[in-house]
Amino acid sequence: MKKTLLAEFTAREGAEGEVSRLIREYALKVREEEGNLVFDVYTKESAPRAYWIFEVYRDEDAFQAHLKAPYGGPFNAALTPLIEEDASVLTFLAPL
């Protein structure tokens, strides 16, 4: 069964450019993962500091492999001081 989630966070004012750079670089790496099916990054038109990342992985094993990728920790460490939340807010989704 596919593993689908929405990750949300808000860039701190003044950090928008760095957050955008980080997430673009990270997205390129995640999209190369064997088990990644979708990694789409969005911002809200009326609030461009608000980010939504829609992620789909082949299955739970692929998602776990994503979590263990060597570039994930450094990405999150660099992102955390640049966002308003303590970390990305994850919402796991289930198909109807």
Side-chain angles (χ1 to χ4, degrees):
M1 177 187 227
K2 292 179 185 174
K3 186 77 167 186
T4 305
L5 65 132
L6 181 67
E8 303 174 63
F9 58 84
T10 306
R12 293 185 186 276
E13 196 161 332
E16 302 92 339
E18 182 65 7
V19 169
S20 179
R21 183 190 68 75
L22 283 171
I23 194 66
R24 286 174 195 268
E25 289 176 4
Y26 184 63
L28 292 174
K29 294 174 182 174
V30 174
R31 289 175 184 143
E32 291 178 357
E33 293 174 11
E34 181 182 335
N36 177 258
L37 304 175
V38 177
F39 192 89
D40 290 340
V41 180
Y42 298 91
T43 59
K44 187 175 177 181
E45 283 188 22
S46 63
R49 292 188 302 117
Y51 283 79
W52 285 283
I53 299 129
F54 181 69
E55 305 177 47
V56 181
Y57 297 89
R58 181 185 62 238
D59 53 24
E60 180 66 30
D61 289 342
F63 178 65
Q64 291 304 317
H66 163 71
L67 293 178
K68 295 174 185 168
Y71 42 83
F75 166 76
N76 286 314
L79 181 69
T80 299
L82 302 174
I83 64 175
E84 293 180 355
E85 300 80 7
D86 292 334
S88 295
V89 177
L90 304 181
T91 303
F92 291 92
L93 306 171
L96 289 178

